[in-house]
Amino acid sequence: MRIIKTAVKTFKYLYGLRFEVKGLENFKVGSPCVIVSNHQSILDMMGLMEILPDGCVQIAKKELLYTGSVGLVMYLGGVIFINRKSTSNAKMVMADVAKTMLSENVMVWIYPEGTRNGNGDLLPFKKGAFHLAIQAQVPVVPVVYSSFSSFYDRKKNLFTSGKIRVEVLEPIETKGLTPEDVTELTNRCYSTMRETFFRLSGLVNEPNGSARTHLQ
Ligand SMILES: CCCCCCCCCCCCCCCC(=O)SCCNC(=O)CCNC(=O)[C@H](O)C(C)(C)COP(=O)(O)OP(=O)(O)OC[C@H]1O[C@@H](n2cnc3c(N)ncnc32)[C@H](O)[C@@H]1OP(=O)(O)O
Ligand SMILES: CCCCCCCC/C=C\CCCCCCCC(=O)OC[C@@H](O)COP(=O)(O)O
């Protein structure tokens, strides 16, 4: 993954992107943890590599394993593949991950929205990352990337250079939590990350839940 990280980090120069990072010290939990971040596009791979701590594996949809050499590189990089369409299968894989992360002292990076989302807001979170953290009794470390919409429009495939703000938030402890606490933990993480997303993106969080830029 170190090799991948170096390779992928160079893309930011190609795309004229700059990252402004805050809170890296929050990764120093001194033990395994589950890192959760918002997911906007393939460009997130650069954001991921920009701050990826050592000893951290990612959870990816298994379709990516069959994408030729990239799939092979991901496999060699230690990426864990899940079948999003089969909850029972995904649960089994994640239960194994809970054991492995403790025995091998690794962190796990998951995109709880479960899919790319360029709509300038966060999708409701899936619960797998939070079940995993509670099963392993390890902290959840939220990471938020500001909206790409100021420089990247997927529909028009428009791309200009830009700055991406990244913030690693305080770890959320799960010691003593049980599966009954998953929904509360998910919601707590969701609201903290959504608030941070709006702040970093210069968006106003409208009372009815929609978001608009200060400029409008
Ligand atoms: C130069 C070349 C370089 C090349 C190389 C570079 C890149 C090298 C880095 C690669 C990086 C890749 C990055 C890709 C990133 C993606 O591929 S993103 C898409 C894949 N990731 C995900 O989907 C993760 C998020 N999804 C989840 O965690 C979901 O919870 C799951 C586990 C998939 C299940 O999904 P679901 O069933 O659709 O939804 P969900 O509502 O969460 O669960 C349904 C029910 O099951 C329960 N449940 C869920 N999980 C569990 C569980 N583990 N235990 C018990 N119950 C559970 C829930 O509580 C819920 O029950 P209720 O509480 O409603 O009663
Ligand atoms: C503008 C496009 C090119 C930008 C290139 C930036 C650097 C990328 C470096 C290597 C490219 C290979 C990375 C393969 C991993 C792809 C991760 C990804 O974004 O998959 C989609 C998945 O999460 C969710 O799938 P859906 O949104 O549900 O379908």
Side-chain angles (χ1 to χ4, degrees), residues 17-38:
L17 287 180
R18 280 172 297 115
F19 289 92
E20 192 180 272
V21 183
K22 274 176 68 180
L24 280 179
E25 66 279 3
N26 287 319
F27 277 150
K28 293 190 174 49
V29 292
S31 70
C33 65
V34 173
I35 301 168
V36 290
S37 76
N38 56 318

Side-chain angles (χ1 to χ4, degrees), residues 1 4 7-8 11 39 45 48-49 58-61 64 70 73-74 79 82-84 87 90-91 94 110-115 126-129 131-132 135 182-183:
M1 191 47 86
I4 295 173
V8 174
F11 279 77
H39 191 16
M45 295 301 103
L48 172 72
M49 298 304 164
Q58 301 79 34
I59 301 268
K61 63 179 186 182
L64 289 171
V70 169
V73 171
M74 288 170 72
V79 174
I82 59 165
N83 177 357
R84 284 185 301 190
T87 306
K91 281 180 182 179
M94 304 279 258
I110 301 187
Y111 292 100
E113 293 169 284
T115 183
K126 303 282 189 182
K127 297 179 179 173
H131 274 284
L132 176 61
Q135 279 166 6
V182 156
T183 303

Side-chain angles (χ1 to χ4, degrees), residues 20-22 38 143-147 150 163-169 193-203 214:
E20 192 180 272
V21 183
K22 274 176 68 180
N38 56 318
V143 177
V144 183
Y145 293 87
S146 58
S147 174
S150 55
K163 176 165 75 175
I164 300 174
R165 291 186 179 83
V166 193
E167 202 158 311
V168 182
L169 305 180
M193 285 176 69
R194 189 164 186 258
E195 196 185 299
T196 308
F197 176 75
F198 288 136
R199 173 167 51 81
L200 296 181
S201 311
L203 296 170
H214 285 304

